[in-house]
Each structure stands twice: as C-alpha cells, then as structure tokens.
C-alpha cells in the first residue's frame, strides 16, 4: 500500500524518513501504515544510512522533592524518576510529566528498589554497541534490573574501564577495573554529597577497594577506617571506538576535597560539540572528543562512600546534587549552576540515534 | 517549439539532447545535464537517437526538472550555490507541484532532486496538525477514536514545546 496516495512507496518512504524524530508522535497518529512503518527496524536503518539520525540523550533522573526534610531518608522512600530527553546538537529537549514517570516506574519497579535502566523499546539495551544495532525506537521505558539474587538478569555486555587508585600509602598503587558500559562515554555528570555515610557502606567501599565479594569480608571488619577506600587522583581512559587505553593521567581528579562520582554517557563513536547544551540548566556536559575516564575519589570515609555505580546509590533521597562539568581536554572540573529540579542524581541514561 | 535551457545558446562542441514531454513540447538539454538522470543516461547509451520522448511527464514539470539538471551540470557553480539553488527551487511550491515533480524524478531517476523534494515535503508536514496532513495528503484515517487518543497521549510527552500549525 502506498504511504502517500499517488506516490510510489519508495518516494513516500523518503518523505517520512526525512521528518525529524520529535514529530514522529504526530506522524504516527496519521494512519496505521505510517505508524507501522515508523516502528520497523528497516525504517531506522534507512534513516541512519541516509545520515538523517540525530543523537539524543535520555536520562532517568531522581526527582527532587522541594518539600523535602533534611536528614538521612535513604530507606524511607522509593525513588521516583523523571525521564529527560535532550538533543545535544540543538539543545532541544523535554521532560516527561511526572504522572507518566510514576506510572512507568511503578510498573517496572514493584519494590521501588533496584536500578532503572533506559532502553529503547525493548529491542536494544544501552549495552549494545556498534553497527545498526543502535537504531532504536522512539518510545523508551524504564527497566528494572534486579540488584542482586539469582534471578537477576545477566548484565548487558560491558567493556572495562580501569581506574587507578591508591590507599593513601597503606598499600601501593594498584590498578582496579571498573565496569562501565562502553557507549556511556561522552556526557559526564558528577555529584557531591556531604552526609556522613552509615557504617555499612564502608564495608561496601572496602569490598570494592579489595575486589572481594561482600560475603568474604567478615562483618567485624566492615568498620569505619579513615584510610580505607581512599582513591587517588590518577586515571586512565579507554577510547571505546579504538579500544585502546590512553596514558595514565596523574592528576585527573583535580579537586582533592570533594568526593567525585563520574558517570559518562554517550554513544560509541560520537564526538559532539563542546559546551553545556542541556536546555534546562546544564545537568550534563557534552564532551568534545576522546575517551572519558570513569572513577571516583575518596577522601576518608567521612567525606563519602564509594558505590558500585554512581546511580544506584542514594544517600539522602530527594536532596539536590551539585553539578560539575568535566572538560576532557583540560581534565578540569567546573561547577555548574543547575536548576534544583534538575539536580537529582542520574540513575541511568543512554544515547539513542533517532 | 524548441526551448534552449538556461545556460543560453549551446556551443557547437557540446552535444545536446532533445527531450519531448507528453504535451508534445521539446526541450533542448546538454548531454552533461541529461546524464545526471540515470534513466536518461541509460537511454542515451543504448541508442544513437538524440530525441527522447517521455510519455508521462508534462511540460511544466519537465521544465523544472531540466532547469534543475542544467544547474547541477554546470561546473562553474560552487556546491554552496547549488545548495542554495536547491532550496530556492523547492521553496514556495504547492504540494501538488511537488508531487508531480517527485514522480518525474522517480521516473527519470534523479536521486538528488528526489531527496530534495522529499525533504521539502517532510518539512511541509512535520509541524502540522494530524488533521491537516490527512486532509492535504488525502490519507484515510483508519484509527478508531480510542486508539488515536491513546497514541497521542502516549507519545506527546517528550516534546511538548512544539507548536503545531493548521494552515
């Protein structure tokens, strides 16, 4: 059947393919055949091969409650996330209304715990890299990834990023491996927390530090230690495109007083224009080129706690985060004023080509 | 009637081709312009005859296509000029005109013009109301009202700051 009456199918397809992705909701409302067409993987492959796709960053970000009370409320409330969409090249974006996020998160996170992962329409997880697999559909959903237990889903394929840290002279410098999804690269966000962590997280920090599973650390050893889990300032980076390690950068984490959590996002081989392009106050920075390093710095347990991922770790739920930009060229952090509503932590994110 | 193309009188060196539209009018085109169309190129390779009859393209459309081909065959013009010509070429044209144009490019296999016109058509429909698109493109709405409401409710959230027009 013709897509546009009077025109051959191919020509109609050429027209549809050239519509910017954010109009697809109205386009797919026109008729069933248009909707069907837009949902086909071939359609997106065609868009990509014609060079018509744009990179879109999608984040699931904790909602900051303006009426929050101060204090540790980590276990008090189930996290609620909002979905934010941004097109780095144009700065165009939008935020899902809360009602939708509530509904979706409630659907997929029955207990309200665990990690939220963004994926595109169930076809491609953010762990898939390269090739046409990156073509995904516009509709996004939040997926519950079980935090532990034998029913946990196998994680998506990952590359490893080495982060070098040292334990403040107690042990020698030692390379550690940290998993990060390879396509999560170019956009860097960092949070800072000031609350003294509960003791149980110290054990977790140590476990990470030693590379031991949690159960292998005796409970009595999971105590606060001013030297434990101290991260150094050097880092290495992995260029996902070439799969090569960059040189060790000694003072990569420049600010010694602040615990840093970096989470990088982006697509495998993208290089975006530099500059803060987030429309609503700059929660992400688009790095210019090259591999991003992922790591965290720890300055005594009183200042912070290492978590396995930057995202699944909520110390004071609902509190705003300070936002920093990482300039990958100069290896410098820079503080950014973000709107409070966009200062929740980023739980998950991915870069889609739409 | 023999019409020369926009480049003016042809020099004796350049070969030219005569293209006849379905209305019977004939257009004189340089061979370098004609070979930009894949199907014309094929015809020219196959036969010696310099007269090509196109039975399904009318005068007006053929004149436009030939103007496009001549401009793009002109080596003296820079790519930027050609690009701005492309924009000028499709701007302000009605949907019906574009439709005939894109049909002609499909017949003649002029890929770049087909893409230009398709882009223009996408631009026309992209920020219009669904009803407008259905009306102008003569598309049957095969959704039930409930299904349509559901689709629009689900998809409209992410890009809420656009302005849809209905004109």
């Amino acid at each position: 059947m013709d897509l546009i009456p009077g025109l051959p199918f191919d020509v109609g397809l050429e027209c549809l393919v050239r519509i910017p992705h954010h109009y697809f909701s109205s386009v797919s409302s026109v008729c069933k055949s248009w909707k069907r067409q837009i949902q086909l993987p071939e359609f997106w492959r065609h868009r990509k091969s014609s060079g018509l796709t744009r990179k879109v960053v999608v984040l699931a970000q904790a909602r900051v409650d303006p009426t929050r009370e101060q204090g540790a409320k980590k276990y008090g409330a189930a996290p609620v996330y909002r979905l934010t969409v941004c097109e780095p090249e144009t700065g165009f974006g939008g935020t899902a209304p809360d009602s939708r996020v509530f509904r979706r998160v409630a659907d997929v996170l029955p207990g309200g715990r665990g990690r939220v992962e963004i994926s595109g329409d169930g076809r491609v997880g953010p762990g898939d890299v390269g090739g046409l697999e990156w073509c995904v559909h516009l509709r996004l959903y939040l997926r519950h990834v079980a935090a532990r237990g034998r029913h946990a889903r196998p994680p998506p394929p990952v590359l490893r990023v080495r982060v070098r840290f040292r334990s403040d002279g107690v042990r020698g410098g030692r390379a550690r491996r940290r998993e990060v999804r390879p396509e999560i690269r170019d956009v860097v966000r960092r949070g800072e927390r000031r609350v003294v962590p509960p003791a149980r997280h110290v054990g977790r920090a140590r476990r990470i530090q030693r590379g031991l599973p949690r159960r292998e650390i005796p409970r009595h050893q999971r105590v606060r230690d001013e030297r434990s889990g101290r991260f150094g300032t050097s880092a290495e980076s992995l260029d996902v495109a070439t799969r090569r390690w960059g040189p060790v950068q000694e003072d990569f984490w420049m600010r010694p007083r602040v615990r840093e959590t970096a989470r990088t996002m982006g697509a495998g081989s993208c290089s975006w224009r530099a500059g803060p392009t987030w429309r609503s106050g700059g929660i992400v920075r688009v790095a210019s080129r090259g591999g991003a390093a992922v790591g965290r710095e720890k300055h005594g347990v009183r200042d912070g706690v290492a978590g396995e991922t930057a995202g699944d770790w909520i110390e004071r739920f609902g509190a705003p985060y300070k936002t920093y930009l990482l300039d990958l060229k100069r290896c410098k952090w820079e503080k950014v004023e973000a709107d409070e509503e966009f200062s929740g932590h980023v739980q998950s994110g991915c870069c889609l080509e739409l | 009637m023999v019409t020369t193309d926009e480049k003016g009188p042809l020099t004796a060196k350049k070969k030219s081709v005569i293209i006849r539209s379905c209305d019977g009018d004939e257009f004189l085109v340089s061979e370098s312009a004609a070979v930009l169309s894949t199907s014309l190129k094929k015809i020219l390779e196959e036969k010696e005859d310099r007269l090509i009859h196109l039975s399904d393209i009318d005068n007006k459309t053929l004149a436009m296509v030939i103007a496009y081909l001549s401009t793009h065959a002109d080596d003296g013009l820079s790519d930027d000029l050609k690009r701005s010509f492309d924009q000028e070429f499709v701007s302000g044209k009605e949907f019906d005109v574009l439709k005939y144009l894109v049909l002609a490019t499909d017949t003649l296999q002029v890929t770049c013009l087909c893409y230009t016109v398709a882009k223009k058509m996408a631009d026309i429909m992209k920020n219009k109301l669904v009803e407008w698109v259905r009306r102008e493109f003569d598309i049957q709405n095969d959704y039930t009202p409930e299904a349509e409401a559901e689709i629009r409710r689900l998809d409209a959230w992410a890009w809420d700051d656009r302005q849809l027009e209905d004109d």
Side-chain angles (χ1 to χ4, degrees), chain B residues 1-10 15-20 25-31 33-34 50 62 66 70:
Chain B
M1 185 184 90
V2 173
T3 320
T4 54
D5 62 13
E6 284 179 348
K7 285 165 68 185
L10 293 162
K15 286 182 186 172
S16 55
V17 184
I18 296 168
I19 302 175
R20 186 186 289 160
D25 288 358
E26 289 176 357
F27 295 81
L28 192 63
V29 193
S30 70
E31 194 176 312
R50 295 279 129 184
L62 189 58
I66 286 172
S70 310

Side-chain angles (χ1 to χ4, degrees), chain B residues 35-60:
Chain B
V35 294
L36 288 179
S37 146
T38 315
S39 51
L40 286 186
K41 192 179 174 187
K42 252 181 217 163
I43 295 173
L44 287 175
E45 279 166 2
E46 280 167 13
K47 60 175 190 178
E48 288 297 301
D49 192 5
R50 295 279 129 184
L51 177 68
I52 298 170
H53 183 69
L54 297 169
S55 57
D56 48 3
I57 302 177
D58 62 19
N59 260 345
K60 204 176 148 196

